[in-house]
């Protein structure tokens, strides 16, 4: 079976983890400190704060901006539910805005309309764009809109470590960027995540929020605010450090494979059975998702591809379809469609061009009803 994705853990990475386990320094330590420095250098930002997951990163970012009860935060309809869950967990209201086809990221026209016509009892505080599958949302436009309405911007860059826009990296284009190192992402520490910022005060607050609200002062440990434990372990950091120098090469390989997919599948797009993602410059290609025509039963396609040895899956969820975040301001069109008809194809850097051909062939056979 050709898997949807596969973590890329070298023997050197395993050895680095084993070294930490033998050292006895399992939680905070040199590996965490070094990984934070190396990530900050890689991203080109002043501070990186490691945490225990991408969800933890999002939660800490919102807490650090003092977002809570009585506030509202704008989130895109098409994402993993963690994006909206963290907003709700702070006590704030997630406000769902639709996404656009092709990039699957926040619709900035609807974003501005929703802000302009906002009449909720909550105070709009922030925009939380998602760089879906490694495609950076239109950050120039989002930052312009946020600035003119006095809103903070937090990037959900969970899928987008290493993606670029205007020569800058995903997660450094706003107040705070949030990353995930879950095994489904390109660089993995098992569970894990990170925050990136250029704001020293925010960085200090986020360090405290990931560690029981505690800071070491000259008079010893002091607890400044209620917070939880969102720390990453030292051996997870060692695992991440071993992969970071390889990341750009992996993204480069994924970009090549994505463009081959696009080429091989374009006859199907012309035939009207699916739509392909846009090949956006700087995309990090965590996932390659096509959108099937609405006349096609996606779950049947997943089953038929599995029978041909190809693992596929839905791409992401539609928050408005989940229905636990309250009534939307504007009814979404594309978020629900991407959720219902999106099909994520295998993509990871160790796939070969032959693997991509095999998948494209299987997809053609299934969609055009040809026998294998
Ligand atoms: C993976 C993901 C998350 C959650 O990250 P975890 O590390 O699994 O907590 C949040 N948002 C998006 C867009 C993701 O893809």
């Amino acid at each position: 079976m050709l898997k949807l994705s596969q973590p890329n853990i070298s023997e050197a990475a395993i050895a680095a983890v084993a070294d930490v386990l033998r050292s006895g320094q399992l939680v905070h330590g040199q590996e965490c400190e070094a990984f934070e420095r190396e990530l900050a250098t890689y991203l080109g930002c002043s501070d990186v704060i490691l945490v225990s997951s991408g969800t933890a990163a999002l939660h800490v970012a919102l807490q650090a901006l003092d977002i809570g009860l009585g506030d509202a935060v704008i989130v895109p309809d098409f994402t993993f539910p963690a994006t909206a869950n963290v907003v709700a967990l702070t006590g704030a209201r997630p406000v769902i805005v639709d996404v656009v086809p092709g990039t699957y990221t926040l619709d900035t026209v609807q974003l501005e309309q929703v802000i302009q016509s906002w009449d909720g009892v909550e105070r709009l505080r922030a925009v939380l764009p998602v760089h879906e599958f490694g495609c950076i949302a239109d950050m120039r436009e989002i930052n312009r809109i946020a600035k003119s309405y006095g809103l903070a911007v937090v990037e959900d860059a969970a899928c987008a470590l290493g993606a670029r826009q205007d020569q800058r990296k995903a997660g450094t284009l706003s107040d705070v960027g949030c990353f995930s190192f879950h095994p489904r992402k390109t660089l993995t520490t098992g569970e894990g995540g990170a925050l990136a910022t250029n704001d020293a005060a925010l960085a200090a607050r986020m360090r405290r929020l990931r560690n029981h609200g505690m800071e070491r002062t000259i008079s010893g440990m002091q607890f400044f605010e209620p917070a939880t434990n969102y720390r990453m372990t030292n051996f997870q950091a060692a695992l991440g450090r071993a992969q970071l120098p390889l990341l750009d090469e992996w993204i480069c390989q994924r970009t090549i494979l994505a463009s081959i997919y696009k080429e091989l599948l374009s006859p199907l797009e012309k035939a009207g059975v699916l739509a392909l993602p846009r090949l956006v410059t700087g995309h990090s290609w965590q996932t390659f998702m096509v959108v099937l025509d609405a006349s096609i039963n996606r779950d049947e396609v997943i089953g038929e591809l599995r029978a041909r040895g190809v693992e596929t899956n839905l791409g992401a969820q539609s928050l408005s379809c989940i229905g636990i975040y309250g009534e939307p301001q504007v009814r979404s069109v594309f978020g629900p469609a991407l959720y219902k008809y999106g099909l994520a194809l295998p993509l990871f850097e160790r796939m070969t061009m032959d693997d991509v051909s095999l998948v494209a062939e299987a997809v053609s056979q299934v969609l055009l009803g040809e026998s294998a």
Side-chain angles (χ1 to χ4, degrees):
M1 177 75 89
L2 184 61
K3 304 290 273 181
L4 197 54
S5 78
Q6 257 189 349
N8 199 343
I9 310 294
S10 67
E11 287 305 316
I14 293 168
V17 172
D19 284 347
V20 176
L21 296 178
R22 287 191 193 95
S23 78
Q25 183 66 42
L26 301 190
V27 185
H28 192 74
Q30 283 178 3
E31 295 295 327
C32 288
E33 285 169 18
F35 193 28
E36 286 188 345
R37 280 196 305 274
E38 289 159 6
L39 273 170
T41 302
Y42 175 78
L43 294 170
C45 67
S46 65
D47 282 272
V48 166
I49 297 107
L50 293 174
V51 289
S52 54
S53 71
T55 307
L58 290 163
H59 196 199
V60 165
L62 296 180
Q63 287 176 307
L65 293 166
D66 289 312
I67 287 166
L69 209 62
D71 294 334
V73 176
I74 293 173
V75 294
D77 196 348
F78 188 64
T79 180
F80 187 69
T83 313
N85 287 344
V86 289
V87 175
L89 281 173
T90 66
R93 171 178 169 194
V95 177
I96 300 165
V97 165
D98 208 359
V99 294
V100 288
T103 67
Y104 318 143
T105 59
L106 199 63
D107 179 343
T108 54
V109 175
Q110 193 179 104
L111 171 69
E112 192 154 24
Q113 284 165 357
V114 165
I115 296 171
Q116 262 167 2
S117 62
W118 179 252
D119 61 356
V121 292
E122 301 86 358
R123 188 158 78 99
L124 275 180
R125 288 286 313 282
V127 187
L128 180 35
V130 175
H131 302 327
E132 194 57 45
F133 303 145
C135 183
I136 301 186
D138 186 350
M139 292 305 294
R140 274 200 196 179
E141 190 61 5
I142 290 167
N143 283 325
R144 179 192 69 74
I145 295 167
K147 197 172 174 204
S148 65
Y149 293 93
L151 306 179
V153 181
V154 176
E155 295 163 79
D156 182 342
C159 299
L161 182 67
R164 288 170 290 109
Q165 189 171 84
D166 297 337
Q167 305 305 317
R168 287 162 67 200
K169 295 256 175 58
T172 67
L173 301 157
S174 65
D175 297 300
V176 190
C178 304
F179 298 97
S180 165
F181 306 134
H182 180 273
R184 185 65 184 85
K185 319 298 187 202
T186 306
L187 182 152
T188 184
T189 59
E191 299 287 358
L195 291 141
T197 189
N198 284 307
D199 181 327
L202 214 49
R205 180 88 188 278
M206 295 193 295
R207 282 184 197 287
R208 171 167 115 180
L209 283 165
R210 77 161 167 196
N211 190 22
H212 307 288
M214 192 261 285
E215 275 181 43
R216 277 175 216 288
T217 64
I218 27 173
S219 47
M221 274 191 224
Q222 242 186 301
F223 293 89
F224 289 91
E225 58 185 323
T228 185
N229 172 3
Y230 277 150
R231 294 185 308 251
M232 178 186 277
T233 66
N234 212 25
F235 49 95
Q236 286 172 306
L239 186 55
R241 282 188 78 196
Q243 292 163 61
L244 188 58
L246 307 169
L247 182 65
D248 281 344
E249 211 177 298
W250 292 355
I251 292 171
C252 191
Q253 188 60 22
R254 284 164 177 260
T255 305
I256 293 169
L257 297 174
S259 67
I260 296 172
Y261 262 135
K262 181 112 175 172
E263 195 179 308
L264 296 179
L265 295 173
S266 69
L268 295 182
E269 189 167 48
K270 288 198 188 80
V273 293
L274 56 70
L276 295 168
R278 261 177 57 197
L279 295 184
V280 174
T281 308
H283 199 310
S284 64
W285 295 107
Q286 179 256 350
T287 289
F288 189 91
M289 189 190 85
V290 303
V291 187
L292 302 179
D293 182 74
S295 64
I296 298 168
N297 182 325
R298 193 251 327 262
D299 293 339
E300 266 173 38
V301 170
I302 291 174
E304 286 178 43
L305 287 170
R306 189 182 305 116
R308 286 171 162 79
V310 177
E311 184 185 50
T312 56
N313 205 347
L314 57 81
Q317 304 288 323
S318 163
L319 299 178
S320 60
C321 291
I322 292 175
I324 59 174
Y325 306 108
E327 274 305 299
Q329 294 289 110
V330 183
R331 202 150 294 283
S332 298
V333 174
F334 295 110
L338 296 176
Y339 161 62
K340 284 189 197 115
Y341 307 114
L343 183 73
L345 304 181
L347 182 65
F348 48 95
E349 57 281 351
R350 286 183 294 167
M351 265 177 88
T352 63
M353 295 187 189
D354 285 346
D355 291 331
V356 174
S357 303
L358 185 143
V359 176
E361 189 57 38
V363 171
S364 301
Q365 285 169 3
V366 169
L367 296 185
L368 300 178
E370 294 162 14
S371 56

